[in-house]
Amino acid sequence: YKKREQEEVLSFPNSRVFERVKNIELIELVSRLYLNKNAVFVVNFSSLLQTVPNVNQLVSSRVSLKEGEKINIVDTIGSLVSVGYEASDEERLVKGQYRRVGDSLLIYPVNHETVCRVDLDFDKVDKIYTVEDRDYTKKDKALKTLDVFPIEVDVETGNILDLLSGNGVVVDDEVDVVD
């Protein structure tokens, strides 16, 4: 992970797209730190010190879907939109997008490595699974629940170092220049 600098805004179509991509990358990192306690993350020093979203707010703002649960699809899509997800008409989804296809809802959560498919049976979640990257109709891994972390979070507190558990290790490999 590398914190995006303001100068990079020129490489995006507009500043809104830049801010969205920046948020998605940051939420993805924070959700990985939260969900993968024994993982290795490579970040530069300035990224370590940037402010990050409050993990408790991320967890409490997530949209959760459970197999067998009764849902109202309109309300569920409204919940996704309210936490920053965008509808897509494109064949391929990118992180932070969703698409309704027949009795299924395809979602690419920021906290997942692949698109997730939620099959609906009228007002009930029938099946949830990850799908193959090239063909969203091919099931990959069955899930009992799907937690979709928000993209838009109001409160930023602390930094990445605050998210490390007591056993976390930071290796600083940047060279100090002595004047």
Side-chain angles (χ1 to χ4, degrees):
Y1 171 79
K2 181 179 182 290
K3 176 184 174 185
R4 289 204 178 260
E5 300 299 333
Q6 197 59 38
E7 300 84 49
E8 293 180 71
V9 74
L10 297 175
S11 63
F12 288 84
N14 58 52
S15 61
R16 183 192 166 287
V17 172
F18 171 74
E19 289 299 324
R20 180 170 173 76
V21 168
K22 195 167 85 168
N23 281 349
I24 287 172
E25 289 173 349
L26 183 58
I27 297 294
E28 180 180 9
L29 174 68
V30 172
S31 68
R32 286 180 178 183
L33 283 167
Y34 174 76
L35 297 170
N36 303 305
K37 301 294 185 198
N38 297 321
V40 174
F41 297 91
V42 178
V43 297
N44 63 14
F45 189 71
S46 66
S47 298
L48 274 178
L49 300 178
Q50 85 177 85
T51 56
V52 296
N54 181 304
V55 174
N56 294 329
Q57 185 182 8
L58 274 180
V59 172
S60 66
S61 299
R62 70 184 172 214
V63 176
S64 293
L65 298 168
K66 295 174 184 58
E67 193 175 280
E69 173 183 50
K70 283 193 176 272
I71 65 165
N72 178 316
I73 191 62
V74 174
D75 292 343
T76 301
I77 289 173
S79 296
L80 289 171
V81 170
S82 73
V83 296
Y85 284 74
E86 294 179 344
S88 175
D89 295 330
E90 300 294 321
E91 186 72 22
R92 313 272 2 115
L93 296 179
V94 296
K95 285 193 184 248
Q97 290 184 331
Y98 70 90
R99 183 167 54 119
R100 177 97 189 261
V101 180
D103 288 338
S104 297
L105 182 62
L106 297 167
I107 309 169
Y108 199 158
V110 294
N111 53 305
H112 276 265
E113 293 301 314
T114 143
V115 172
C116 298
R117 184 180 188 109
V118 179
D119 286 340
L120 304 168
D121 183 15
F122 296 105
D123 63 346
K124 186 180 98 175
V125 174
D126 187 34
K127 298 282 183 195
I128 305 171
Y129 44 89
T130 60
V131 293
E132 290 186 9
D133 190 42
R134 296 181 194 264
D135 185 355
Y136 294 162
T137 62
K138 293 186 179 176
K139 301 174 184 177
D140 188 27
K141 178 181 166 190
L143 304 172
K144 293 290 182 194
T145 63
L146 175 62
D147 288 330
V148 180
F149 277 48
I151 295 169
E152 297 174 1
V153 181
D154 298 332
V155 180
E156 289 191 348
T157 58
N159 56 45
I160 293 173
L161 292 172
D162 296 335
L163 298 175
L164 297 176
S165 64
N167 297 330
V169 175
V170 174
V171 177
D172 180 8
D173 71 346
E174 293 193 20
V175 178
D176 289 336
V177 178
V178 179
D179 290 330

